[in-house]
Amino acid sequence: MNSQRSNAWKFWLGIAAGAAAGYYLNSDEGRRARRQAVTKANEYGTQIQEKAQVTYQQAAENVNGVLEKGKEQAGRFQKQAKSTINQVSSSLKSTVDASTKAVKKSVKEGQEKINTITV
């Protein structure tokens, strides 16, 4: 029973507070307060929108900067890779040429030995 009285008391207190707020908000002073609240809300909304735009622009610039650096780094890597490939290719060509020369020399010497044996 005590709980029901407590709930009833809270209910009537809520009704009274709502009525007082309604009366205040419909008074001249309440209307001014509502207009000020709307004006402030619009100002804050504009400030938030401007801040979001600035943040977006900064983020876009940062992303573009990172992409540009990535492209530059990829270009440097490509040049280094080409240089390394050219060096390795040149070295392999020299090795193949030297090996071919050595094989030809060995074949020639072998033929000469065969010729001296058969003569």
Side-chain angles (χ1 to χ4, degrees):
M1 180 86 96
N2 197 15
S3 172
Q4 288 178 342
R5 284 185 188 167
S6 176
N7 286 338
W9 167 250
K10 291 175 186 176
F11 173 76
W12 288 111
L13 182 61
I15 294 287
Y23 177 78
Y24 171 75
L25 291 175
N26 282 320
S27 68
D28 289 338
E29 187 178 337
R31 288 185 190 103
R32 273 193 303 274
R34 284 192 319 220
R35 279 193 299 273
Q36 287 176 346
V38 167
T39 300
K40 286 291 183 188
N42 288 336
E43 288 174 7
Y44 292 147
T46 301
Q47 289 174 358
I48 290 169
Q49 184 178 12
E50 290 170 356
K51 180 65 176 172
Q53 185 65 30
V54 167
T55 302
Y56 170 79
Q57 289 295 332
Q58 289 172 342
E61 289 171 7
N62 289 341
V63 167
N64 288 334
V66 168
L67 288 174
E68 192 59 37
K69 286 180 182 178
K71 287 178 185 177
E72 291 171 4
Q73 185 66 23
R76 283 193 294 273
F77 176 74
Q78 183 180 22
K79 286 178 183 176
Q80 289 174 346
K82 283 182 179 179
S83 175
T84 302
I85 289 169
N86 288 336
Q87 288 173 356
V88 169
S89 176
S90 178
S91 176
L92 286 173
K93 185 178 183 306
S94 297
T95 302
V96 168
D97 288 346
S99 297
T100 302
K101 201 176 206 182
V103 167
K104 285 181 180 179
K105 181 180 176 186
S106 295
V107 168
K108 186 177 178 183
E109 289 173 356
Q111 285 176 345
E112 289 175 357
K113 285 184 182 181
I114 290 172
N115 287 339
T116 57
I117 294 174
T118 57
V119 174

mmCIF file of all heavy atoms in Angstrom, residues 105-115:
data_model
loop_
_atom_site.group_PDB
_atom_site.id
_atom_site.type_symbol
_atom_site.label_atom_id
_atom_site.label_comp_id
_atom_site.label_asym_id
_atom_site.label_seq_id
_atom_site.Cartn_x
_atom_site.Cartn_y
_atom_site.Cartn_z
ATOM 1 N N LYS A 105 86.695 -23.163 -76.360
ATOM 2 C CA LYS A 105 88.140 -23.395 -76.238
ATOM 3 C C LYS A 105 88.404 -24.859 -75.913
ATOM 4 O O LYS A 105 89.281 -25.499 -76.504
ATOM 5 C CB LYS A 105 88.737 -22.478 -75.165
ATOM 6 C CG LYS A 105 90.225 -22.631 -74.997
ATOM 7 C CD LYS A 105 90.735 -21.694 -73.911
ATOM 8 C CE LYS A 105 92.227 -21.938 -73.698
ATOM 9 N NZ LYS A 105 92.752 -21.181 -72.589
ATOM 10 N N SER A 106 87.594 -25.396 -74.968
ATOM 11 C CA SER A 106 87.768 -26.801 -74.588
ATOM 12 C C SER A 106 87.470 -27.724 -75.764
ATOM 13 O O SER A 106 88.178 -28.714 -75.992
ATOM 14 C CB SER A 106 86.858 -27.163 -73.416
ATOM 15 O OG SER A 106 87.234 -26.451 -72.273
ATOM 16 N N VAL A 107 86.431 -27.411 -76.520
ATOM 17 C CA VAL A 107 86.079 -28.225 -77.690
ATOM 18 C C VAL A 107 87.204 -28.162 -78.712
ATOM 19 O O VAL A 107 87.621 -29.186 -79.278
ATOM 20 C CB VAL A 107 84.730 -27.763 -78.303
ATOM 21 C CG1 VAL A 107 84.498 -28.405 -79.667
ATOM 22 C CG2 VAL A 107 83.584 -28.083 -77.362
ATOM 23 N N LYS A 108 87.732 -26.983 -78.951
ATOM 24 C CA LYS A 108 88.823 -26.807 -79.916
ATOM 25 C C LYS A 108 90.052 -27.603 -79.465
ATOM 26 O O LYS A 108 90.693 -28.307 -80.264
ATOM 27 C CB LYS A 108 89.157 -25.324 -80.075
ATOM 28 C CG LYS A 108 90.173 -25.049 -81.148
ATOM 29 C CD LYS A 108 90.390 -23.565 -81.292
ATOM 30 C CE LYS A 108 91.452 -23.317 -82.353
ATOM 31 N NZ LYS A 108 91.775 -21.928 -82.504
ATOM 32 N N GLU A 109 90.381 -27.488 -78.169
ATOM 33 C CA GLU A 109 91.535 -28.233 -77.655
ATOM 34 C C GLU A 109 91.305 -29.734 -77.773
ATOM 35 O O GLU A 109 92.225 -30.503 -78.112
ATOM 36 C CB GLU A 109 91.814 -27.839 -76.200
ATOM 37 C CG GLU A 109 92.363 -26.443 -76.035
ATOM 38 C CD GLU A 109 92.468 -26.007 -74.574
ATOM 39 O OE1 GLU A 109 92.042 -26.777 -73.667
ATOM 40 O OE2 GLU A 109 92.960 -24.902 -74.333
ATOM 41 N N GLY A 110 90.047 -30.139 -77.495
ATOM 42 C CA GLY A 110 89.719 -31.564 -77.615
ATOM 43 C C GLY A 110 89.847 -32.043 -79.050
ATOM 44 O O GLY A 110 90.372 -33.144 -79.299
ATOM 45 N N GLN A 111 89.408 -31.246 -79.992
ATOM 46 C CA GLN A 111 89.532 -31.616 -81.405
ATOM 47 C C GLN A 111 91.001 -31.692 -81.823
ATOM 48 O O GLN A 111 91.395 -32.584 -82.577
ATOM 49 C CB GLN A 111 88.781 -30.608 -82.293
ATOM 50 C CG GLN A 111 87.288 -30.774 -82.260
ATOM 51 C CD GLN A 111 86.561 -29.697 -83.075
ATOM 52 O OE1 GLN A 111 87.138 -28.679 -83.431
ATOM 53 N NE2 GLN A 111 85.290 -29.946 -83.350
ATOM 54 N N GLU A 112 91.775 -30.753 -81.316
ATOM 55 C CA GLU A 112 93.205 -30.768 -81.646
ATOM 56 C C GLU A 112 93.874 -32.025 -81.098
ATOM 57 O O GLU A 112 94.719 -32.642 -81.778
ATOM 58 C CB GLU A 112 93.894 -29.509 -81.121
ATOM 59 C CG GLU A 112 93.519 -28.258 -81.879
ATOM 60 C CD GLU A 112 94.111 -26.991 -81.260
ATOM 61 O OE1 GLU A 112 94.782 -27.050 -80.206
ATOM 62 O OE2 GLU A 112 93.871 -25.911 -81.838
ATOM 63 N N LYS A 113 93.506 -32.438 -79.885
ATOM 64 C CA LYS A 113 94.081 -33.657 -79.309
ATOM 65 C C LYS A 113 93.661 -34.871 -80.124
ATOM 66 O O LYS A 113 94.455 -35.776 -80.372
ATOM 67 C CB LYS A 113 93.654 -33.820 -77.858
ATOM 68 C CG LYS A 113 94.384 -32.892 -76.921
ATOM 69 C CD LYS A 113 93.984 -33.158 -75.485
ATOM 70 C CE LYS A 113 94.699 -32.182 -74.568
ATOM 71 N NZ LYS A 113 94.365 -32.395 -73.183
ATOM 72 N N ILE A 114 92.368 -34.875 -80.531
ATOM 73 C CA ILE A 114 91.893 -35.983 -81.353
ATOM 74 C C ILE A 114 92.640 -36.019 -82.669
ATOM 75 O O ILE A 114 93.036 -37.080 -83.161
ATOM 76 C CB ILE A 114 90.355 -35.876 -81.577
ATOM 77 C CG1 ILE A 114 89.620 -36.147 -80.283
ATOM 78 C CG2 ILE A 114 89.887 -36.845 -82.661
ATOM 79 C CD1 ILE A 114 88.143 -35.882 -80.339
ATOM 80 N N ASN A 115 92.869 -34.844 -83.244
ATOM 81 C CA ASN A 115 93.576 -34.768 -84.517
ATOM 82 C C ASN A 115 95.019 -35.230 -84.367
ATOM 83 O O ASN A 115 95.571 -35.865 -85.265
ATOM 84 C CB ASN A 115 93.532 -33.360 -85.095
ATOM 85 C CG ASN A 115 92.154 -32.995 -85.636
ATOM 86 O OD1 ASN A 115 91.360 -33.877 -85.930
ATOM 87 N ND2 ASN A 115 91.891 -31.711 -85.775
#
